[in-house]
Structure formats: C-alpha cells, structure tokens
Amino acid sequence: MPDAESFSAVLLEWFAAQARDLPWRRGYEPYQVWISEIMLQQTQVERAVDFFLRWMHRFPSVAALARAGEDDVLTAWEGLGYYSRARNALRAARMIMEQHGGAVPQDYDALLALPGVGPYTAAAVCAIAYNRPYAAVDANVRRVFARVFDLDAPVSETATSRLIQDQATALTPQGQARMFSQALMELGALVCLPRRPRCSACPVHAVCEAKRLDIVLERPVPAKAVTSIPIDVATGVLMAQGLVFIQKRLATGVWAGLWEFPGGTIEGLETPEQAVVREFREETGFEVNGLRKLAVVRHGYTKFRVALHCFCCSLRENLPTSPPVLTAAQEYRWVSPAELSRFAFPAGHRKLIDMTFPTA
C-alpha cells in the first residue's frame, strides 16, 4: 500500500486545485448531498446537475419532498430513468420526517434503513455531508484502486470490492473524509478514465502499480459481459376528439406508477398492428382500428434492447361510449397533447411523444 500520509496529502492538494464546482458541494447540506448521490447512480454528473437544480427549486427540503405526490416526484425525475430511485426518495423523505424530525440521519445504520439507501450511499452521506470517517467507493474509485494496486480480479467480485473498501478507509486521513472521498471520485472521473486515462496528469502516478507495469488499460479486469436481450413491443396512441388516451401502470413491476400508451410484447407470429389491437382489447376493452405507423423507437433498459413499434389508432365506434376496463393499469385519463408534459412516461414513450407531439 502507498504511504497513507503522502498519498492522501498529494491527492487532497490536487483536489483543492481541480475540484469541479458542483451545486451540492456549496455548503454540503445533507439533504442536497443525499439527493445528489441518488441522482448520480446511473447518471453522468453533467446531466445530473440540471436535474438537481430543478429538483431543488421544486423540492427545496426534506419536508417539501415528503409533502409531494408521487406523480409530481416522478414527473420531476423523468429523463433520469430507474424510477425506483425517485419513489424510494419520496418514501425515505417521509420516513425522515416521521422518525428523524426532518433531519437526514448522520448515523450509518440509520441511513441504511432508509428506502433506496445502500452501503455506498450511506457511506457517501456520512463522509461528504457530515465528514464522518467513512470512505465513499463508487465505480470511479474502484477503477483507481484497481490500477494503483494492480488488482487482478474484477472489482465487482465481493472479495475485491471489500479489499478496495478497506484500502480506501485505511488511506482516509483523520478529519478529512469529506474531501478525501470526493478527491478519489474526482480522480477517477477526470483523470483515471476508463479508456483514455490521463496518466501524465495524475497526482499519484508515481505509486500506480499498473502504470509501472504498463498495464493501465488492462485494469480493472473486466467482469463477464452481460448479453443483451432483444424485445419487440407494440404500442398505440389512441386519439378521440383531439384527446389522447393514457393509463398509469400498476404500483409494482417495471416502470411502476408511470404513465404510458397501452401496448405490450408482440407474441408469436402476430404483426405489430395485430399486437396493438390485441393489447388494447386485453388492457382496456377498447376495440381500435385505423392503425397508422408512426415510428420504431429503440431504447434500452437493464439487459434489454427494446424495439417499440408505435402506431396512431382510433376507436371503432369513434367516441368512447363507456369507460375502459383496466387490467394492466390503475388509472386512466383522456388528455390534450399539451398536457402530456405533466405526466411521467418511460423513456421510450417520451421519445414517441417528442416525435408525435413535438410541442407537448
């Protein structure tokens, strides 16, 4: 292991000069640190900043978030994906109000008890918001340590992950957890890059074992690749009297609580058009016709690659004579295209809205 005192001193000096000006670093208010960490899961910093600023304008405190409705929270989150993060943040805010008097806990175990807070987020809030002696180890930090220590196993393996956590904790100088954790993450984000590391600009390159062995690009050792699963899905934008039919997904399952246009997986030998007609019949009881192809929207989530076949359609009887019989949703609405921006949709459906109703 590098000499802890010199390693930490060099890294902290570099961070003091190179740290990005990020809004959650201006005061380290615990609520802001917590929300930033939730947003930064699966999201690039540059993209998260705009969402963070809008979020804080809309929900400036734990109390404001706890009072919000789920639809408002999901709409504010739309575009960040992984909507369970937003739902968990809302649940956690309400728990913080009920059990912690509105103050984000500074105790690690109390943080872990909050919905959506795992070991990394709990450590990050402890270290960054409260400067407590924890090490926040994200993907950037794991890459830095895999190179500095020449770790020859995937960093996702339990033993390797535990080793990195222990090393990061051991190197954290007393009273400097806030800055040291951020310095490690910043080093990975700005210098120790995955494909084009800037080794000549690295403040700790002199003690980097992968640099010495000239195997920087071979570290971290890659984990086993995950095979993408293609899925063909069909959906229909149902119009009647200038209004659009939308439905709210069930409270559990994929994209829980988001709004959508009815549709589903294309089955067997059926065509996308046949799938739309069948899905409307199964999910709403509506009989639709007059299908017109709009687009094929391609997007991915987790391990799936989705081809969303999109159609405009109408009711056979022209006007809805009775309410839908919902079997795959908890609520429905007929809305104008301009109102679609008020509802949170999955990414594929939002892309469809942008293409079909560009001013919505």
Side-chain angles (χ1 to χ4, degrees):
M1 178 183 289
D3 175 73
E5 186 174 347
S6 58
F7 180 92
S8 303
V10 168
L11 191 56
L12 288 170
E13 182 180 358
W14 172 85
F15 181 66
Q18 301 297 328
R20 288 171 291 182
D21 179 21
L22 300 175
W24 47 86
R25 289 176 175 169
R26 302 167 192 166
Y28 297 105
E29 202 279 320
Y31 169 64
Q32 295 191 3
V33 172
W34 165 51
I35 292 298
S36 73
E37 290 298 336
I38 298 296
M39 286 187 171
L40 288 168
Q41 297 168 15
Q42 310 293 333
T43 305
Q44 295 294 319
V45 169
E46 294 76 11
R47 180 170 172 75
V49 167
D50 290 338
F51 281 91
F52 176 85
L53 293 173
R54 289 197 294 270
W55 180 279
M56 287 300 157
H57 179 75
R58 194 164 184 175
F59 313 116
S61 64
V62 174
L65 177 57
R67 289 193 300 267
E70 183 176 282
D71 280 345
D72 288 338
V73 171
L74 293 177
T75 300
W77 194 269
E78 187 179 347
L80 283 172
Y82 298 92
Y83 288 88
S84 62
R85 294 182 292 170
R87 281 187 290 271
N88 283 332
L90 177 58
R91 292 170 55 212
R94 291 171 177 171
M95 186 180 296
I96 291 169
M97 293 301 298
E98 293 170 2
Q99 300 181 12
H100 302 282
V104 175
Q106 55 181 300
D107 177 76
Y108 180 84
D109 291 331
L111 285 163
L112 272 183
L114 297 175
V117 175
Y120 165 75
T121 303
V125 172
C126 283
I128 299 170
Y130 293 111
N131 201 29
R132 297 192 64 205
Y134 287 84
V137 176
D138 67 356
N140 287 319
V141 176
R142 287 192 289 270
R143 184 169 59 255
V144 168
F145 277 76
R147 288 170 173 168
V148 169
F149 294 97
D150 182 28
L151 303 180
D152 59 1
V155 295
S156 58
E157 291 185 0
T158 301
T160 310
S161 178
R162 185 179 298 116
L163 173 63
I164 292 173
Q165 187 71 52
D166 291 344
Q167 290 169 329
T169 301
L171 288 169
T172 300
Q174 186 174 2
Q176 293 286 343
R178 169 180 293 156
M179 294 306 175
F180 187 71
S181 279
Q182 291 182 101
L184 283 173
M185 291 189 279
E186 201 83 335
L187 183 66
L190 301 182
V191 177
C192 196
L193 304 173
R195 295 179 181 84
R196 294 184 178 180
R198 300 171 54 231
C199 294
S200 61
C202 178
V204 295
H205 73 274
V207 295
C208 179
E209 189 66 4
K211 171 68 174 166
R212 184 183 72 82
L213 298 172
D214 195 25
I215 56 171
V216 172
L217 294 181
E218 297 173 33
R219 298 291 182 266
V221 173
K224 185 178 180 181
V226 177
T227 303
S228 295
I229 301 173
I231 301 179
D232 282 291
V233 178
T235 191
V237 179
L238 175 59
M239 301 285 297
Q241 292 189 313
L243 299 179
V244 186
F245 180 85
I246 59 174
Q247 61 182 20
K248 188 176 186 180
R249 294 180 68 90
L250 299 174
T252 58
V254 178
W255 300 315
L258 299 187
W259 292 83
E260 66 173 0
F261 305 110
T265 304
I266 299 171
E267 298 180 356
L269 298 177
E270 69 182 356
T271 65
E273 292 89 342
Q274 291 170 334
V276 170
V277 173
R278 175 183 55 76
E279 288 287 345
F280 264 94
R281 183 182 301 123
E282 292 175 354
E283 293 187 3
T284 68
F286 287 154
E287 294 291 337
V288 299
N289 62 4
L291 274 68
R292 176 171 58 85
K293 187 70 172 278
L294 294 173
V296 177
V297 176
R298 302 185 186 279
H299 67 106
Y301 70 96
T302 62
K303 61 183 179 180
F304 300 103
R305 301 298 300 174
V306 179
L308 182 63
H309 300 262
C310 309
F311 296 84
C312 185
C313 58
S314 57
L315 291 168
R316 284 189 179 177
E317 63 269 22
N318 232 3
L319 294 174
T321 56
S322 59
V325 179
L326 300 179
T327 61
Q330 56 179 307
E331 186 180 343
Y332 78 94
R333 294 193 189 181
W334 289 93
V335 300
S336 68
E339 291 177 292
L340 291 170
S341 61
R342 294 171 38 204
F343 301 88
F345 286 82
H349 287 235
R350 178 55 67 185
K351 291 178 184 177
L352 173 59
I353 291 171
D354 292 342
M355 296 168 61
T356 308
F357 308 105
T359 59

